[in-house]
Amino acid sequence: MTDIAPPILLARHGETAWTRAGRYQGQSDPALSPAGVAESERLAATLGGGAIAAIMCSPLLRARQTAGVIAGVIGLPAPQIDPDLIEIAYGDWEGLTQAEVKCRWPALLRAWKHAPETVMFPGGETLGALRMRVRRCLGTYSMPASSGAVLLVTHSAWIRIAVIEAQGLPLARFRQVPVATGSVQPLFFHTSRTLTGTN
């Protein structure tokens, strides 16, 4: 039988006011909304019965708040911050709605919808740059933890790239991976360190 190590659990932070308004957040730093705090509490309740060895989180406030709620509920030490868990930089798009982006960058928005792997955000970065951070993290946290799973509290684009990496899919599939706020996605590692995603 194939031996499978404890999973990496990828959790997306709870809702912010920008999430609700449909604004690109990226590396901007809005706090959780009251609904986002409640989502974090519900997520913590679902994780409480599992064996989690450690919680790592993005340096952005919404992820730190979510991770702190989870740690408090399940009785773990304060989460550790890993800069590689930060969201993609949307640059000049951050704080704008899709309608506002469409007025200023209509061609680039079309490319983002249909060929996301080709887009460099003005003043921001590419999916390829984010993938480098994701690969570093997955390489670090894929080593089995004897006491249980590692929970990474991060962001939607980050989790999409991790799932794509796990399934060996091209970056062009990026927009086909749904990631709701306050959700969790497990990635398992065989002893050979081969990643397997469940999405």
Side-chain angles (χ1 to χ4, degrees):
M1 185 174 71
T2 303
D3 189 16
I4 298 180
I8 291 176
L9 300 175
L10 306 177
R12 185 183 176 192
H13 61 80
E15 180 195 270
T16 71
W18 283 23
T19 312
R20 180 173 289 275
R23 298 188 183 280
Y24 287 90
Q25 297 184 109
Q27 295 182 4
S28 296
D29 213 15
L32 292 180
S33 65
V37 173
E39 282 182 335
S40 301
E41 292 169 345
R42 289 194 294 271
L43 177 58
T46 68
L47 295 169
I52 295 176
I55 302 176
M56 312 295 295
C57 69
S58 158
L60 295 176
L61 179 59
R62 57 193 185 273
R64 290 188 285 114
Q65 289 178 315
T66 300
V69 169
I70 295 169
V73 169
I74 66 179
L76 283 178
Q80 300 179 53
I81 294 172
D82 186 333
D84 276 340
L85 289 168
I86 199 168
E87 179 62 299
I88 192 169
Y90 288 112
D92 295 343
W93 288 20
E94 293 184 11
L96 302 180
T97 65
Q98 189 169 122
E100 291 167 335
V101 167
K102 186 176 181 179
C103 288
R104 297 176 61 183
W105 298 276
L108 194 61
L109 181 61
R110 284 194 299 272
W112 177 234
K113 287 179 174 294
H114 300 292
E117 73 281 7
T118 69
V119 171
M120 163 69 83
F121 294 102
E125 59 184 349
T126 64
L127 287 181
L130 174 58
R131 181 166 61 180
M132 291 177 63
R133 294 199 294 276
V134 170
R135 285 176 171 174
R136 280 197 299 266
C137 270
L138 296 183
T140 298
Y141 302 121
S142 64
M143 299 305 293
S146 59
S147 55
V150 176
L151 176 67
L152 307 182
V153 182
T154 180
H155 307 273
S156 60
W158 204 105
I159 295 171
R160 288 179 178 187
I161 295 294
V163 171
I164 283 171
E165 287 289 297
Q167 297 183 355
L169 300 173
L171 283 178
R173 298 284 296 276
F174 172 83
R175 296 183 65 86
Q176 298 174 27
V177 181
V179 184
T181 54
S183 65
V184 64
Q185 163 75 54
L187 297 179
F188 290 90
F189 289 85
H190 297 282
T191 50
S192 64
R193 293 191 58 183
T194 300
L195 250 166
T196 58
T198 64
N199 189 13

